[in-house]
Amino acid sequence: MTNPLFYAKIILFGEYGMIEDSQGLVVPYSFYKGTLKFSDSESEFEKKSNQHLQKYSDFLVNLNLPENFSLDVSRFKEDISKGLFFDSNIPQGYGVGSSGALVAAIFEKYCFTKHDPENISRNDLKNIKAIFGEMESYFHGKSSGMDPLICYMNLPILIENKENLGKVAMPKGEEGKGAIFLIDSGITGETGPMIQIFFEKMKTEGFRKTLKEEFIRYNNACIDSFLKKDMNPFFRNLKKLSHWAYEHFRPMIPESIFNIWKKGLDSNAYYLKLCGSGGGGYILGFTKDYEKAEKMLDGFHKEVIYRF
């Protein structure tokens, strides 16, 4: 029996803000995916993955999960000894949820109680998110559990606040001139150090104030207008959000991206924002005219994820 595929995820809105109770909009991205498999070769990738799973299983043994969500770690360990590995093309350190997909795959296969992502209650959704946070803390030190939840549900999720989240319908994409796209910064990023920088910044009253009064307001307004497909207020707030990040998230913006970030703000041809924690990996781009933006971003590898 083949194991299900788990797709990557993209935080369209809410990076860092969700830590402080902003809204978030997170969507699956099927271009990248991973699945648990048994190795039938001695490839370096498969051996390395198998060794990582071995170390991870030692961590899972000590996790004290509620009965309804507990994992059959001994069966997991047994499968690892038979050559289990995570076959994935999700790039690591790119902000698209490589550890999230792995956590979701392990939970789906080894949780004693089977849960159906299609018919999950809001309460169970919240509980599973908390479980995933504990499971993913192995990779990042601290995790909201949001990445694995998106990978597990394979549906867009709207986070209203720390307590409330639910499935949401994305506005139907169509072949218009506009696009949401990814730009490859050319370097990998590490989530841990970036989150550390954010918490350091949060110690300053001025930063806390502007995050709450400006970032969260622009972020939530973007989500609201995007889901309503109300593109004029969407781009108006997006520009403010992009400008805010350019001013306050400097350490998280890869050096290779600085100039083009500013170029977008100055020309209004496109706007950029962080994809995940930043520091490297992908950057998100939004434009009303992708052809124009693409020419201005010549030399950067880009992937379109949504058209409008």
Side-chain angles (χ1 to χ4, degrees):
M1 194 183 94
T2 58
N3 291 318
L5 288 168
F6 290 89
Y7 296 126
K9 63 84 209 161
I10 290 172
I11 297 177
L12 283 185
F13 294 99
E15 76 292 342
Y16 291 110
M18 283 191 281
I19 298 171
E20 291 303 306
D21 236 10
S22 81
Q23 289 185 351
L25 180 61
V26 193
V27 296
Y29 182 41
S30 60
F31 184 75
Y32 293 121
K33 46 193 146 327
T35 187
L36 289 165
K37 272 185 183 175
F38 286 97
S39 172
D40 51 11
S41 78
E42 282 294 292
S43 91
E44 202 47 45
F45 173 83
E46 291 173 11
K47 275 197 291 202
K48 223 173 177 178
S49 175
N50 180 266
Q51 285 161 6
H52 283 150
L53 290 184
Q54 179 60 60
K55 284 181 192 155
Y56 185 45
S57 69
D58 295 339
F59 166 82
L60 291 178
V61 165
N62 299 312
L63 267 196
N64 194 10
L65 301 175
E67 196 181 329
N68 208 18
F69 302 102
S70 61
L71 303 171
D72 190 345
V73 183
S74 52
R75 183 163 69 91
F76 181 37
K77 280 184 167 290
E78 200 180 304
D79 285 349
I80 292 166
S81 70
K82 293 176 187 165
L84 189 76
F85 75 106
F86 190 55
D87 187 14
S88 163
N89 70 346
I90 306 172
Q92 293 184 356
Y94 263 68
V96 287
S98 52
S99 58
L102 172 61
V103 166
I106 290 168
F107 180 83
E108 196 279 334
K109 190 170 171 67
Y110 296 101
C111 184
F112 282 111
T113 311
K114 286 298 158 207
H115 301 270
D116 177 10
E118 299 274 310
N119 301 302
I120 223 158
S121 71
R122 275 180 94 96
N123 200 42
D124 271 353
L125 208 58
K126 212 164 78 176
N127 291 332
I128 289 176
K129 179 177 172 281
I131 302 298
F132 284 162
E134 288 189 52
M135 288 175 71
E136 205 189 23
S137 66
Y138 171 81
F139 301 97
H140 302 313
K142 186 174 164 55
S143 163
S144 67
M146 187 47 67
D147 284 13
L149 185 69
I150 301 300
C151 300
Y152 178 68
M153 300 290 293
N154 194 27
L155 288 165
I157 299 275
L158 173 66
I159 300 96
E160 287 157 35
N161 50 45
K162 281 178 186 164
E163 293 305 308
N164 294 306
L165 65 155
K167 299 174 268 194
V168 71
M170 281 277 281
K172 198 166 156 31
E174 57 202 44
E175 278 305 312
K177 285 173 80 172
I180 301 175
F181 56 97
L182 296 172
I183 300 176
D184 189 341
S185 68
I187 56 165
T188 55
E190 280 186 62
T191 301
M194 294 298 112
I195 288 177
Q196 202 53 49
I197 291 169
F198 176 75
F199 282 123
E200 277 304 310
K201 280 175 158 291
M202 283 299 286
K203 289 175 183 172
T204 333
E205 196 188 331
F207 180 78
R208 282 200 309 272
K209 192 172 187 296
T210 180
L211 183 91
K212 284 191 162 63
E213 289 176 8
E214 296 177 62
F215 176 89
I216 289 178
R217 185 155 50 95
Y218 305 148
N219 176 78
N220 293 2
C222 280
I223 293 174
D224 184 56
S225 50
F226 178 71
L227 291 175
K228 289 177 181 162
K229 223 171 175 183
D230 205 346
M231 286 316 190
N232 286 335
F234 173 68
F235 274 97
R236 211 165 43 240
N237 283 292
L238 186 60
K239 180 172 186 176
K240 290 174 184 169
L241 190 63
S242 180
H243 187 267
W244 189 95
Y246 185 73
E247 294 290 317
H248 298 281
F249 279 162
R250 275 288 170 107
M252 290 83 157
I253 300 173
E255 238 170 89
S256 59
I257 300 294
F258 269 145
N259 291 342
I260 59 164
W261 193 300
K262 181 84 165 59
K263 201 170 157 185
L265 286 168
D266 291 344
S267 65
N268 294 316
Y270 59 85
Y271 302 122
L272 302 184
K273 64 183 292 299
L274 297 177
C275 180
S277 58
Y282 286 120
I283 294 293
L284 266 169
F286 298 78
T287 179
K288 289 180 181 177
D289 185 344
Y290 183 65
E291 218 174 290
K292 184 181 175 185
E294 193 179 25
K295 285 193 185 106
M296 289 175 71
L297 295 165
D298 191 38
F300 284 89
H301 175 69
K302 298 166 289 294
E303 290 168 30
V304 173
I305 60 172
Y306 182 81
R307 296 299 303 231
F308 57 86

